[in-house]
Amino acid sequence: MQFRQRFSCLIFLATSASISLFGQTSDKIAPDLVFSESSPSPGAPPPPPPTANVIVQTNSSVPGANLGLIQAYTRTVTSRELQQLAQDPNVKYVSRDRSVGANLEYATPAVFGGSSLAAASSPWKGRGIGIAVIDSGVNPHEDLKDGNCGVSRIVYEENFVPGESTTRDLYGHGTHVAGILAGNGLCSDRGLPRTRRFTGVAPQANLINLRVLNAQGSALDSTVIRAIDRAVRLRNTYNIRVINLSLGRGIFESYKNDPLCQAVERAWAAGIVVVVAAGNRGRENTAGNNGYGTIGSPGNDPFVITVGAMRDMSTVGRSDDLMASYSSKGPTTIDRIVKPDLVAPGNAIIAPLAGASTTLARENAKDITTLSYYTRSVSVAWAALSRTDGNGYLKLSGTSMATPMVAGAAALLIEKAGIAGITPDTVKARLMKWAAKTLPASSTFLQNGVSRTIQNDMLTIGAGALDVVAALNNADTAPAGKRALSPQAVYTCQKPGRNCVAITHSPGSVFAGSSVWGNRPVWGGSVLWGDSVLWGDSVVWGDASQKGFSVLWGDSIARGVSVLWGDGGGLFPTSVLDGDR
């Protein structure tokens, strides 16, 4: 069944290449902060100066800062006021307050080592672990109740969408994500004879509903940052150990300056595992880049776990698994961080429906799962139940769906560690090391009638496909003081040639020079040749005569210029993707 997805993970912003402040540039000002001055009509009064909504990061705490998590505040500024901020020694960085956007009966067993029995019999269900769902809201679906179908496991709810107060999921995305995370598949049948159940990865976990995306599936950076801040503040109250971010946007500066990245790093430092969608731009080829260099923010941050999407092919076994054509690939623009970190099922996932009136359900009505698919009932009266708020299911595709697979797995590892505890870095390293390295070397798909090849290299599949059982059975820990930082890709040849891309690790990385956590144990021999990355695509090997080479390795990337994001203003077209068939 073809699925058209208006959002599924990301809204990208096309930006201008640099900022001009009265002819001067500043490293403290984001490259997309450009003012367009207009001349007044003859005889008309001069128009008011144009303004921009910005996030100002400071070098120290500022009284009244409304984004205290990252020592920042929001403000509306003119071009002259922006220049003044650039000259203020207490200002660290100024960025635009940017826009952010956004089947289980096979997928869950697939990540449990390809075994339905392993998924059902595992003693680890995420019990007592709080997972913050920062998304479009979570509706009270029956499958999000406890095992007795009486008490909701949504233990806290708050709205952050400006001008709104509801925590309801009007877009229809967050409820679906929550079901993949923690749906128990028990309570929505109303006694009907079930033939299938749609069970999430951590079916006893508690959910913290932090609504940031509006009914159109979009938000601002500052809105998401406030929600992350709330998750950190509520960590001890609700034992929030995982944040799921099935959203993101384009990259405009180094992760070291990006306010979204700074926020997720603060959450990580507070002991919360942050899991982020890679993005759905893997089919992007306008620059001959074959989907490389399309990871979004904050998935470009080396701390977080960034997740790509694969296809479980509607079987619980692994032997036929393939990559999803739309899954974004690394390296990240500007910093060239190796991403994604791993992949998980994200194609044609059946999970709870927020309601037939939500935006995604209306736009994808054909993908509302009929009652006859998972029960023996043929009653017309009962058939309406499949579209009812709180009972039905919807099929969606994207890295947004793969992300909660990994976030749920993180909750299980944390639950098993118990009172002994486990750090976010150990969770990340363990999930990566024990990810399955068995995906085929390549696969093909049709795009506009043209056959294209997906090379399952390090920048496509990361460390491999999520294997929850293998990670749960492992006891390796990250050494004290070491971080599970994703490595950086470095182009090493003066002239194009084979094996011209190497990976380098931060000195503080758990992956640097370790026999336990080194390159081959974590990423596998199929994607590495020594310390060089094995590529199957010439755009990544490097051919300076191709546009794709310039996109990934050219000097223009370092200045934040990329044909992927465009050099004009305004919103990049919303991701409208067909799930792979």
Side-chain angles (χ1 to χ4, degrees), residues 205-229:
N206 292 328
L207 299 171
I208 292 80
N209 171 20
L210 304 177
R211 180 176 181 257
V212 298
L213 299 175
N214 61 21
Q216 288 71 48
S218 64
L220 295 175
D221 279 1
S222 56
T223 305
V224 178
I225 292 169
R226 289 187 181 97
I228 295 172
D229 186 17

Side-chain angles (χ1 to χ4, degrees), residues 265-277:
E265 286 189 19
R266 300 295 170 85
W268 193 273
I272 301 175
V273 178
V274 183
V275 189
V276 184

Side-chain angles (χ1 to χ4, degrees), residues 138-145 152 154 157 168 175 389-390:
V138 180
N139 284 356
H141 194 278
E142 293 290 311
D143 283 356
L144 303 180
K145 291 182 176 180
S152 175
I154 305 172
E157 301 183 83
R168 299 280 294 183
T175 305
D389 185 3

Side-chain angles (χ1 to χ4, degrees), residues 6-7 11 100-102 136 164 170-171 211 213-219 359-360 362-363 574:
R6 181 178 180 273
F7 163 62
I11 293 179
V100 183
S136 59
E164 298 185 22
L170 304 180
Y171 185 58
R211 180 176 181 257
L213 299 175
N214 61 21
Q216 288 71 48
S218 64
T359 303
L360 282 178
R362 286 187 284 104
E363 293 182 350
T574 306

Side-chain angles (χ1 to χ4, degrees), residues 429 433-434 474 476-477 510-511 513-522:
K433 178 178 178 179
W434 294 100
N474 176 256
D476 292 337
T477 59
V510 66
F511 303 126
S514 168
S515 60
V516 175
W517 298 111
N519 293 343
R520 285 186 176 273
V522 175

Side-chain angles (χ1 to χ4, degrees), residues 398-466:
T399 57
S400 280
M401 284 62 252
T403 302
M405 291 278 177
V406 176
L412 303 189
L413 266 64
I414 294 166
E415 178 194 15
K416 183 180 180 182
I419 195 169
I422 186 172
T423 66
D425 295 282
T426 292
V427 171
K428 178 180 177 180
R430 201 176 286 180
L431 288 172
M432 291 175 66
K433 178 178 178 179
W434 294 100
K437 323 294 181 187
T438 55
L439 284 170
S442 64
S443 58
T444 59
F445 69 97
L446 289 176
Q447 183 175 9
N448 299 324
V450 178
S451 178
R452 287 181 55 194
T453 299
I454 302 173
Q455 301 291 342
N456 290 337
D457 53 45
M458 191 179 188
L459 296 183
T460 303
I461 68 171
L466 174 65

